[in-house]
Amino acid sequence: MPHVVTQACCGDASCVYACPVNCIHPTPDEPDFGTAEMLYIDPDTCVDCGACVTACPVGAISPGHRIPETQKRFASVNADHYRDPSPDAVRFPVSALWRKPLAPIEKPRSLHGTPDPLRVAIVGSGPSAMYAADELLKHRQVHITMYERLTEPFGLARFGVAPDHPATRSVVNLFNTIAQNPRLRILLNVEIGRDITLDELREQNHAVLWAGGAPTDRPLEITGVDLPGVQSATSVVGWYNGHPDFVTAGPRLDTERAVIIGNGNVALDVARILTADTNRLAVTEISLDALAALRDSQLREVVVVARRGPEHAAFTLPELIGLADGPARVWVDPADLEHVDDDAVHDIETAEKIVLLREIAAGPKPEEPYLRLAFGLTPERVLGTDRAEGVRFRRTTTDSEFADLDAGLVFTAIGYRGRPVPGLPFDDARGTVANVAGRVVADQHPVPGLYVTGWIKRGPNGFIGTNKTDSTETVAKLLADAEAGLLSPAPVGV
Ligand code: NAP
């Protein structure tokens, strides 16, 4: 039976390169790679060799006969991606290039004319940093020093992935393997600007690659957002994952309803953990403090509120399938699906989401505590005087209809945002370091020896594995500049 990509797909495309018959799409060189919510195996082309299983760093691919019960839906989801749209069916814009054979993987180049050793500093040790290191270390001249502010490496791979997603968290094993390379040293508990300056890094290295992520939250600018009881969803993620910056960020769970504003995957993660069976969480890597607090929680309902309709949901299809078919208790009010604009559905992933939401809405209301997906409500203000007591929403399609939702806790989950890095030009509109394809640019000119990758380069989107393609692009620019003699002069002491 053909193999199937399932929920944990991280999008790093290792499987694509391992596949001998090019049956996994979109590939990184196809236009829909940047927007696809996962990768898909064509069941008609798959030769069942299992090479993709070995290549996948998060165990997201199963042989068809061995798919876990909760992931069975992915067999049809993979196949649907390849179905021929008949003249009567909705035509989905699938890449015209999808059958194009992949370019052969570039062999490590010998980097003629580059310094040997070629010293590179990488700031950050999260997924984009580790994928960049992996790519750089293919070249024997490269020696990397990686700087990490925390006392543990791997950033969001360690502190950002929900504890009930062990497969996704297992990408840490890949990063541990990369970290074994003797030409990579990782310095923990070192902060740039506090312990060493960017200028010093530039003096000591031929190139500096900034991979510091997007460490802040996009602010929600409505009245009442500063009240106690309102906090960012990412602080809750940090809290239940034991991130040292968020040990005291635990929410007061002595209220019956929480509202989460925004419906991306972060909102889903937080809602799922807050309503999970704590006996299931007990066998995960959740922080013990968070587990104890959740055992005493009074929450009965966590409402994930989107300002737009289900046809624009920010959560991804694999996450919705995991929610619907896994142990989570999830509910959708059928009234929220009455106004779905089917004409606005232009891709198969959204179409599948709507089918699934309708299925959930047709089912019974689950036992408490459950999470509810609500749509079409724009937040107007947080209600309450001394602390949050609810949220006033405007029905998005109207100007004058409002709905108040009582809630003792309000979490904002409207996306991350990059922070300016002292010494690097900042693109305030995008919340990124100004760059072109990873080369830092100032006044429209590349700054020699300075590069970026990850969320601080492209903005806070995509999955852990998206950083592989992103970092490969940046590293290619760095190495081309090295060969062209454009990097910083010989580092001090080299
Ligand atoms: P996100 O996916 O960008 O979602 C942001 C949400 O906030 C959207 O629903 C957006 O609605 C809403 N929003 C933005 N501004 C708003 C406002 N002023 N008022 C009300 N709502 C507003 O952000 P995220 O959830 O932080 O995720 C960031 C990235 O990490 C995503 O690529 C995500 O897939 C990834 N991630 C993945 C996983 C996973 O794979 N399991 C887990 C966590 C995060 P509109 O669409 O209407 O703007």
Side-chain angles (χ1 to χ4, degrees), residues 12-160:
D12 89 350
S14 299
C15 56
V16 169
Y17 294 105
C19 175
V21 293
N22 190 24
C23 76
I24 308 177
H25 298 271
T27 65
D29 59 352
E30 291 171 349
D32 35 354
F33 182 75
T35 51
E37 297 183 352
M38 58 180 286
L39 304 179
Y40 301 91
I41 293 178
D42 181 353
D44 292 337
T45 315
C46 174
V47 290
D48 223 6
C49 68
C52 52
V53 177
T54 313
C56 176
V58 293
I61 304 180
S62 295
H65 63 281
R66 257 196 272 139
I67 308 178
E69 199 54 42
T70 55
Q71 305 279 299
K72 286 236 153 89
R73 199 184 292 262
F74 283 96
S76 58
V77 164
N78 276 243
D80 284 354
H81 184 78
Y82 294 93
R83 77 169 185 253
D84 276 340
S86 74
D88 308 317
V90 182
R91 291 194 79 88
F92 297 108
V94 177
S95 160
L97 298 176
W98 73 355
R99 302 273 174 208
K100 191 177 106 182
L102 274 180
I105 301 176
E106 237 182 276
K107 295 245 168 60
R109 294 178 300 178
S110 56
L111 294 183
H112 289 299
T114 58
D116 188 0
L118 177 65
R119 296 198 184 280
V120 180
I122 299 183
V123 180
S125 69
S128 64
M130 295 310 297
Y131 280 120
D134 194 29
E135 197 61 27
L136 281 163
L137 290 166
K138 289 177 182 166
H139 306 274
R140 58 150 198 85
Q141 298 97 315
V142 177
H143 288 246
I144 301 173
T145 309
M146 189 175 271
Y147 296 86
E148 168 55 55
R149 181 178 70 87
L150 300 177
T151 53
E152 286 182 81
F154 310 146
L156 279 187
R158 189 183 295 278
F159 292 117

Side-chain angles (χ1 to χ4, degrees), residues 7 9 160-162 165 168 218-222 234 261-269 272 305-308 312-316 319 377-379 413-416 455 460-464:
Q7 183 185 355
C9 177
V161 180
H165 279 170
T168 307
R218 282 190 59 209
L220 180 65
E221 283 159 2
I222 57 172
T234 55
I261 295 172
N263 78 347
N265 284 343
V266 169
L268 249 51
D269 281 350
R272 208 181 54 249
V305 184
R307 56 184 171 178
R308 299 194 283 166
H312 303 289
F315 52 73
T316 55
E319 289 306 302
L377 295 171
T378 299
I414 66 167
Y416 292 82
W455 277 1
N461 55 59
F463 317 102
I464 285 180

Side-chain angles (χ1 to χ4, degrees), residues 51 54 64 102 106 171 188 206 250 267 355 421 491:
T54 313
L102 274 180
E106 237 182 276
V171 75
L188 301 173
H206 295 99
V355 168
V421 178

Side-chain angles (χ1 to χ4, degrees), residues 204-285:
Q204 293 168 15
N205 294 276
H206 295 99
V208 176
L209 173 46
W210 196 280
T216 54
D217 301 288
R218 282 190 59 209
L220 180 65
E221 283 159 2
I222 57 172
T223 308
V225 85
D226 298 326
L227 284 170
V230 184
Q231 68 185 89
S232 70
T234 55
S235 66
V236 182
V237 173
W239 168 67
Y240 61 57
N241 278 334
H243 189 302
D245 291 352
F246 298 104
V247 279
T248 58
R252 262 175 45 182
L253 301 173
D254 56 355
T255 180
E256 294 193 349
R257 184 188 283 138
V259 162
I260 304 183
I261 295 172
N263 78 347
N265 284 343
V266 169
L268 249 51
D269 281 350
V270 169
R272 208 181 54 249
I273 295 297
L274 291 180
T275 54
D277 175 345
T278 47
N279 289 332
R280 284 181 178 275
L281 291 179
V283 297
T284 71
E285 293 178 339

